Amino acid sequence: MHDDLDHAQITADQEFARAFAAGEVELVYDDSAPVPELPPVGSPVTLVRPVRSPHEADAPR
């Protein structure tokens, strides 16, 4: 069991997802928001790579 889970936040997120799916709320994008700076040349690069593995490999032992 994960003791570090924020159950109140999970509940709020689930309620927002439900309301969004039902069309009760919508997202508003702000095109005037500042664009974040790019990292400097030579900075370490982080990659995301999805990997499939059997459930048993991830299950607690």
Side-chain angles (χ1 to χ4, degrees):
M1 179 141 181
H2 297 280
D3 292 332
D4 58 343
L5 293 177
D6 182 343
H7 295 285
Q9 185 62 55
I10 292 170
T11 300
D13 292 345
Q14 288 175 335
E15 173 55 23
F16 178 80
R18 185 210 57 76
F20 182 76
E24 298 169 7
V25 295
E26 62 182 46
L27 298 178
V28 178
Y29 296 94
D30 183 359
D31 289 336
S32 67
V35 176
E37 295 286 324
L38 293 174
V41 174
S43 295
V45 176
T46 302
L47 302 174
V48 175
R49 294 189 175 152
V51 177
R52 288 184 180 261
S53 63
H55 173 72
E56 295 78 19
D58 192 47
R61 296 175 192 237

